[in-house]
Amino acid sequence: MICNSRAPFAPLAPLLGAALLATCGLATASSHREAPFITTVPKVDATDFYLFRSYEGGRSDYITVVANYVPLQDAYGGPNYFAMDPNALYEIHLDNNGDAVEDISFQFRFQNKLAGGSGVTLPIGGKNVAIPLVQAGAVTGPSSPSLNLAETFTLDIKRGDRRKGSTAAVTNASGGSTSFPKPVDNIGVKTIPDYAGYAAQHIYTVNIPGCAMPAKVFVGQRQDPFAVNLGTIFDLVNAPVEVITNPALINAVPNTIADKNVTTLALEVHSSCLVKDDPVVGGWTSASLRQARLLDGSPMAGHQTAEKVGGAWTQVSRLGMPLVNEVVIGLKDKDKFNASKPHGDGQFIDYVTNPTLPALLEIALGLPGIAPTNFPRNDLVTTFLTGIAGVNQPRNVVASEMLRLNTTIPAVPFAQQNRLGIVGNILAGGNDNAGFPNGRRPKDDVVDIALVAVMGGLCVANGTTNALGFGTACNPSAVPLGATAFSLHDAVDQAVVPLLPAFPYLNTPLPGSR
Amino acid sequence: MNARALLIVALAAGLLTACGGNSDEPPVAVDERVVPTSATASPLAYTDYVATRPLEDALEPLVVQAVVPPVSDVDEPLPLR
């Protein structure tokens, strides 16, 4: 397929090199339960982060940012389902000058309140008794009286430092409210017969102080948009080599998380609100908990009353480019990575210059000697930490891990998007430079792109003449797999995952009952 | 000892008792399950208090229903090492 194309590299060398560099940069998909501590607090576990120019018709001047949380939700997970944590701070950070420090942060806080303060009751034998469910009947619209638990959120924009910068509340363009109802999760077709219609009522047009154009925000459950052969990958890549190197078999096995939901924080913001002097915007998401917590051995009546939290916000989750903490950072440093900020990424440099994933693939596949040998892997450093020169590298970039989007590269309609992002587009001789690693769209198959990259595809493209500027050590002789590196995949095709044609782009979540 | 001296001794004993000189009264018990006021004086104090709670299998949980933990949206986390 694309990976076996004989597209001429030389004339397109700079762009191809940049693209390959970006894709090689370990930008894989998703980040489910990737660190020891985060497995204990799933409500603040970021799973995926997307950053792209909106490709819905007429919206190309807008930038869509999506942060997904709470991995591996089974749709039937009642009676409490997956309300967000009111004791957490969820953030989306944007760096618009390349200095590895956030310039804008969108901060989401959640409030979960029982109806009437103490919840819905039923008269039972002369006594009013509280019901055990989050709903007391069918739910059809925001703030439905049938909901026993009302979930709402507030959204602030912070400019400057995420803690000490200036704060302003984002308001509903209709009415000016600062509190937004969040849709209840997709309990099932009897409670919510038309969940797509119900959820759509929770897409809000909002005013962001300091921004000339209104934006959109949606927070709610979605079908997990990530496609991966998850169990197989982590079981020492338990798949035949002849399958994962055959481009005809890119969708040979089922997506093992196709029946899972996630919770999405989605924003669509006009580029004029985010872009400053540099057209490249970097982004990542983080979640924080209060540093101090005491558990109550005798919780009061109410909702989530078993803990008393205090102190400062303490970051426990971080996600920019996907799969960094899953397959790049060593186990002993995963919690540290989740607590870290981009400007401190030098501490993790060995994981990039001397990556273990190729060697692990040798072990897993029983194929010694297939890992690239150009050390340090400056091809991965360049892709992973700076963006691609001429594509999505900020003018004054400070090396750091985050997703980077060139806001001047046009969006491409969904049907024309290349699933292998920029590198796939170049190999195919197409017109789609709007994909990963130039930001990330839901359709981009970052797992396949990452496999190609990490196993030396960049150095094959760099050739013997250092055509792409990765250094002379990054050449085909350092890539035992040779051109076969371009054929690698995980046998699950990201491009066939169902999506919506417009904001928030991610599909209606699966129902708890059908 | 005449009656006057006995009265003086009795009065002295009474004064000693009033001054807490009676060693038969038990000491006032301190409820170790109560979060001290000092712990909620500031976000830093609360964090420090929680951080210094001992790992003790025999302790009962703190009584925290009335505790209102102080929070800060601008402070950085307290270093714990």
Side-chain angles (χ1 to χ4, degrees), chain A residues 256-344:
Chain A
T256 54
I257 61 173
D259 63 342
K260 304 298 182 188
N261 294 325
V262 289
T263 302
T264 292
L265 314 177
L267 289 165
E268 189 187 50
V269 184
H270 196 270
S271 60
S272 62
C273 180
L274 303 180
V275 176
K276 205 176 173 185
D277 300 317
D278 196 316
V280 177
V281 175
W284 70 99
T285 186
S286 72
S288 300
L289 297 171
R290 290 295 184 188
Q291 188 173 25
R293 179 176 80 168
L294 287 174
L295 297 180
D296 194 339
S298 299
M300 293 186 300
H303 193 264
Q304 196 171 331
T305 62
E307 57 182 354
K308 295 279 190 175
V309 299
W313 290 119
T314 306
Q315 183 181 306
V316 296
S317 180
R318 170 190 168 187
L319 177 57
M321 282 193 157
L323 259 180
V324 169
N325 212 9
E326 282 196 328
V327 296
V328 176
I329 304 298
L331 184 57
K332 71 181 179 70
D333 286 327
K334 290 181 185 295
D335 287 343
K336 175 186 278 191
F337 181 84
N338 268 343
S340 67
K341 297 175 184 175
H343 65 76

Side-chain angles (χ1 to χ4, degrees), chain A residues 449-460:
Chain A
I449 296 169
L451 284 172
V452 169
V454 85
M455 295 308 291
L458 276 177
C459 293
V460 173

Side-chain angles (χ1 to χ4, degrees), chain B residues 32-51:
Chain B
E32 294 180 342
R33 299 180 305 150
V34 173
V35 178
T37 305
S38 60
T40 56
S42 70
L44 190 67
Y46 189 74
T47 304
D48 189 62
Y49 173 78
V50 173

Side-chain angles (χ1 to χ4, degrees), chain A residues 164 290-291 298 308 311 313, chain B residues 46 64-65 70 72-74 78:
Chain A
K164 296 179 169 58
R290 290 295 184 188
Q291 188 173 25
S298 299
K308 295 279 190 175
W313 290 119
Chain B
Y46 189 74
V64 298
Q65 281 190 9
S72 170
D73 289 339
V74 296
L78 179 71

